[in-house]
Amino acid sequence: MLTRRAWLSSAGAVFAPKVALATPPSGRGVEVETLLRFGGTPQNLATPLQYFDRLLTPNSVFFVRSHFGPPALDPSRQLVIDGMVEKPLTLSVDELRRLPAASVTAVLQCAGNGRALHAPRVPGVQWTHGAMGQALWKGVRLRDLLAKAGVKADAAHVQLAGADLPPKPQVPAFTRSIPLARALSPDTIVAYEMNGEPLSLAHGAPMRLVVPGWAGDHWVKWLTRLRVQREEAEGFFMQTAYRMPTSVVAPGAAVAPADMRSLTTFPVKSLIVTPLEGERRSPGEQLIKGIAFSGEAPIEAVEVSSDEGKTWRRAKLEGEPGVGRWQTFSILIPNSAPAPMSAIARAIERAGRMQPQHAAWNPSGYFWNGWHRVAWEVTA
Ligand SMILES: Nc1nc2c(c(=O)[nH]1)N[C@H]1C(S)=C(S)[C@@H](COP(=O)(O)O)O[C@H]1N2
Ligand SMILES: [Mo]
């Protein structure tokens, strides 16, 4: 069986940790001059940290992750829903737009976001914080489409496929699946709009899946087929990639495939966005801003420490709480004179779980969520 490491090289992906400002390829509808490009595969563009100071991430700077690069733009591409259904459906985006619409504000986060922060280093795209963003997604509830098609008893999974093709025949297609129960959840949407604009090609036009709270690999772009079936999807992207140890392992440990499970929801996390690391600011109360979210529960609180973790104070939260939805936080730290300063943030989700000081290391470097510390200088 293909290992994840062999896959990384077979796809021709060097995944150099080098980060460069992207040069604009034509017709992508993304402000690539602003996004940070990660070498290797066709499209790994990260959102610079300073854009996470608000509830919705602008489309023009929204991160892009694609294994093989986008297929041709085809607004007439149809979506087939088949497999264990009474009546298979074929839908164009125009037909989808005529059905009752649903909207959801949700974080799209790549499972590998923060991979570069895991120690020891693991292979893969060396994202720091930029492989995520929050948008208002609009489309049709997948459960409405499945109700139209009539799901048969015994069905338990929905296989997801997009129109993008692997670069060579030996490279497996990007095929994922989600459990039927998750597909039937009212927030799972076949989306055609992002932040009030039609989906761009980079983000999956004409249709993509939105699975709030679950890692980005379930949010299949350029959707062509949803196949209702009894079993999980087969193949590399379900059975080898996107898997986590079933329990905590020592950093650097080898983990047997039998001790791995498919990853689903992303864990609680917060990030300081203002000030940026190394900034110079004037004396006076220091405004700290950031975001907090979890794929498992709404956020209960964010605590900030300006004394390296000795004492913590609650920040003010803004935005609506929700699973897989981020809120912004802010707090003022006293200051009256030039000094080196620092802040650490940690989020607590409603189930009571706190963001861990150090993220749980795992062989593929998924779901980094350690406490975020920022240091800056107050100068005269
Ligand atoms: N068809 C298809 N869908 C895909 C992918 C892909 O390579 N092909 N990448 C997935 C991964 S790993 C992530 S993190 C998200 C990224 O979505 P974005 O590019 O819109 O930010 O898309 C997901 N959907
Ligand atoms: Mo991803």
Side-chain angles (χ1 to χ4, degrees):
M1 198 193 227
L2 191 59
T3 62
R4 185 171 171 279
R5 197 177 282 265
W7 142 254
L8 289 174
S9 42
S10 81
V14 181
F15 293 130
K18 190 184 82 191
V19 179
L21 281 180
T23 44
S26 58
R28 284 220 319 94
V30 171
E31 223 176 78
V32 284
E33 297 87 343
T34 314
L35 291 163
L36 307 171
R37 184 178 62 190
F38 285 75
T41 47
Q43 280 192 328
N44 295 307
L45 305 169
T47 304
L49 191 61
Q50 60 266 31
Y51 290 97
F52 298 136
D53 62 344
R54 59 199 95 172
L55 290 171
L56 296 178
T57 311
N59 289 354
S60 58
V61 293
F62 204 99
F63 91 98
V64 178
R65 164 66 171 138
S66 142
H67 292 82
F68 316 131
L73 176 60
D74 178 5
S76 67
R77 184 177 298 122
Q78 293 185 313
L79 168 62
V80 173
I81 301 183
D82 65 355
M84 294 173 71
V85 296
E86 305 295 343
K87 193 168 119 304
L89 299 179
T90 303
L91 290 153
S92 67
V93 69
D94 293 331
E95 289 167 309
L96 208 65
R97 283 179 177 275
R98 287 196 285 271
L99 296 174
S103 295
V104 62
T105 296
V107 177
L108 167 51
Q109 179 176 227
C110 181
N113 195 28
R115 180 177 288 122
L117 306 168
H118 277 291
R121 184 182 186 277
V122 295
V125 184
Q126 296 299 300
W127 304 107
T128 51
H129 299 297
M132 63 174 186
Q134 175 154 277
L136 170 63
W137 309 94
K138 181 177 173 187
V140 173
R141 290 194 169 100
L142 178 52
R143 73 169 180 191
D144 292 354
L145 301 176
L146 292 175
K148 261 183 198 294
V151 173
K152 292 188 178 167
D154 294 351
H157 297 270
V158 179
Q159 179 169 305
L160 319 165
D164 49 334
L165 292 173
K168 34 187 177 176
Q170 8 4 336
V171 176
F174 185 73
T175 308
R176 297 277 308 162
S177 67
I178 55 172
L180 183 61
R182 190 65 187 80
L184 293 173
S185 163
D187 62 348
T188 303
I189 286 174
V190 176
Y192 49 74
E193 253 181 53
M194 177 179 178
N195 290 330
E197 291 173 7
L199 269 185
S200 65
L201 179 62
H203 295 295
M207 296 172 249
R208 82 163 317 156
L209 201 66
V210 164
V211 191
W214 286 39
D217 47 291
H218 304 93
W219 298 46
V220 174
K221 302 194 272 192
W222 314 298
L223 268 183
T224 51
R225 190 173 180 200
L226 299 173
R227 187 175 179 279
V228 180
Q229 55 191 42
R230 209 179 308 257
E231 312 288 343
E232 252 191 5
E234 288 175 4
F236 174 79
F237 285 99
M238 200 67 201
Q239 303 304 332
T240 303
Y242 300 116
R243 296 177 81 82
M244 296 266 288
T246 48
S247 53
V248 177
V249 300
V255 183
D259 298 326
M260 305 273 266
R261 62 167 179 89
S262 238
L263 55 81
T264 57
T265 53
F266 44 76
V268 59
K269 177 170 181 175
S270 64
L271 201 64
I272 297 171
V273 179
T274 308
L276 295 170
E277 181 72 26
E279 216 173 277
R280 285 165 173 272
R281 303 174 108 193
S282 318
E285 277 188 314
Q286 302 289 302
L287 176 63
I288 311 299
K289 281 169 67 178
I291 52 167
F293 60 97
S294 166
E296 286 157 11
I299 293 300
E300 171 77 45
V302 173
E303 297 179 338
V304 175
S305 174
S306 53
D307 56 9
E308 304 295 355
K310 286 195 267 304
T311 61
W312 297 85
R313 280 169 54 221
R314 283 203 168 193
K316 183 171 138 226
L317 286 170
E318 270 172 69
E320 247 179 77
V323 176
R325 177 173 183 141
W326 82 38
Q327 290 178 271
T328 54
F329 68 83
S330 59
I331 193 167
L332 288 166
I333 293 179
N335 167 274
S336 52
M341 298 198 67
S342 69
I344 306 171
R346 63 185 192 193
I348 298 150
E349 65 185 11
R350 228 166 251 183
R353 229 175 333 213
M354 184 188 284
Q355 180 182 353
Q357 184 169 3
H358 303 287
W361 184 93
N362 59 91
S364 301
Y366 295 133
F367 292 159
W368 183 89
N369 69 335
W371 294 355
H372 188 215
R373 176 183 183 275
V374 169
W376 69 101
E377 196 77 32
V378 170
T379 52

